[in-house]
Amino acid sequence: MDTKNCETLLLEHGIKPTANRIMVVKALESSMLPLSMAELERKIDSIDKSNIFRTLTLFREHHLVHAIEGAVDGTRFELCHSHDEHYDDDLHPHFYCESCQQTYCMDGVEMPEIVLPEGFEAHSSNYIIKGTCPHCKDEDRR
């Protein structure tokens, strides 16, 4: 994703584009898998950990990233493909491979509908399926 598209995406989510924010968007966009804080730090060595954390917090508030909790190495982050700062219209489950410890997006797999009891209001959801990915399953067969 080029800088102009990053700026547009940030503005669509009500976020002022800055050099650091654009770098975080580019790092998330270039990854095929959700990234942990440690992985983001290694990928963006020109921004310190606290600035990356503050940027991710802002992105979460504006629905620009999904935070996937429950991974062994802590929360993982992926760019949200929604273009709305108030609503995530691309929620999907994730798969955690217990062998390689990778977290995969299950795009195209619908989230199960959960009906909450009266008085409860959901603000986010986190659905993780754990098991073995196809690559590790094939390795086990050899």
Side-chain angles (χ1 to χ4, degrees):
M1 181 180 287
D2 66 15
T3 300
K4 183 68 176 159
N5 287 333
C6 290
E7 290 173 354
T8 301
L9 184 63
L10 288 164
L11 291 169
E12 286 175 346
H13 284 269
I15 301 169
K16 179 183 175 186
T18 64
N20 285 354
R21 292 171 185 168
I22 290 168
M23 279 194 276
V24 173
V25 168
K26 285 182 176 183
L28 290 168
E29 178 64 25
S30 68
S31 177
M32 298 300 291
L33 300 171
L35 299 172
S36 67
M37 270 294 295
E39 290 167 331
L40 275 168
E41 287 176 64
R42 285 191 295 273
K43 233 177 160 164
I44 314 169
D45 59 0
S46 61
I47 305 175
D48 65 48
K49 181 178 185 172
S50 62
N51 278 321
I52 293 172
F53 180 78
R54 282 194 300 273
T55 298
L56 290 171
T57 300
L58 177 69
F59 286 4
R60 285 182 76 177
E61 291 168 0
H62 289 264
H63 300 276
L64 183 57
V65 294
H66 292 291
I68 303 134
E69 299 159 2
V72 171
D73 57 353
T75 303
R76 292 184 158 271
F77 301 91
E78 69 177 338
L79 203 57
C80 180
H81 295 286
S82 167
H83 293 287
D84 189 321
E85 67 177 292
H86 304 290
Y87 177 73
D88 292 337
D89 62 5
D90 71 336
L91 287 178
H92 54 272
H94 295 85
F95 186 91
Y96 175 77
C97 178
E98 294 168 322
S99 293
C100 67
Q101 300 179 346
Q102 291 293 324
T103 302
Y104 298 89
C105 297
M106 297 283 104
D107 290 322
V109 176
E110 291 195 28
M111 292 282 284
E113 184 177 340
I114 306 294
V115 178
L116 297 173
E118 189 173 325
F120 288 86
E121 180 180 320
H123 292 226
S124 68
S125 64
N126 190 18
Y127 194 86
I128 295 180
I129 303 151
K130 294 182 180 182
T132 307
C133 72
H135 176 75
C136 291
K137 189 174 176 182
D138 290 343
E139 289 290 318
D140 290 344
R141 290 182 185 163
R142 292 179 190 171

